[in-house]
Amino acid sequence: MHVSQHQPSVAGGAEESDGATGRALYVPIRRGPAGDVVRLWRTPFGTRTAVAFTTDRRLRSVLGPTQPWIRLSESALRRLAEPLGARHVTIDPVLTARPPASWGAPDPTGPRTAPHSARGTRPVSPA
């Protein structure tokens, strides 16, 4: 697995140690009918990645104050994400894309006509 770090980590022992990798991370999750699930993302190149933050403040600043999260060690996150095809862990990303609009939501700019070859197709859903 590859670790990508977009910002320097907080230095000075402010993070708790997980014993195996030296840090515990704040991992965004989504709540589902079967319980909490680690959210997976895609890099700009389309590769699946797990995302984690070194502080809850960083997580909230990027994903918003209502984003649920759990604490996991880096090694536990890797073990959870790898069977799902996420071979990368991105730590402290500074930018994320907005979630896609719902198909039922009206387009504020008005209707658009798709080319004939694209009619009846649906966009690819996020990871």
Side-chain angles (χ1 to χ4, degrees):
M1 233 181 223
H2 171 74
V3 175
S4 172
Q5 189 160 338
H6 299 285
Q7 282 185 345
S9 293
V10 176
E15 303 162 8
E16 295 178 29
S17 173
D18 72 352
T21 62
R23 63 175 149 186
L25 300 169
Y26 295 82
V27 179
I29 59 168
R30 63 180 171 85
R31 306 216 185 261
D36 297 341
V37 180
V38 173
R39 291 183 63 184
L40 297 180
W41 309 75
R42 293 217 181 256
T43 67
F45 299 107
T47 310
R48 291 183 107 182
T49 184
V51 171
F53 296 85
T54 54
T55 67
D56 62 328
R57 173 184 260 167
R58 286 183 176 175
L59 181 140
R60 288 191 313 265
S61 72
V62 174
L63 300 177
T66 61
Q67 172 63 54
W69 53 267
I70 59 173
R71 294 283 307 259
L72 285 176
S73 69
E74 186 176 336
S75 58
L77 178 58
R78 289 175 183 281
R79 286 192 305 268
L80 283 171
E82 194 163 355
L84 302 172
R87 299 190 189 286
H88 299 272
V89 174
T90 304
I91 299 175
D92 288 331
V94 293
L95 178 66
T96 62
R98 290 185 177 163
S102 165
W103 275 95
D107 186 351
T109 61
R112 291 187 226 168
T113 306
H116 180 68
S117 62
R119 290 180 194 206
T121 61
R122 299 189 130 184
V124 177
S125 61

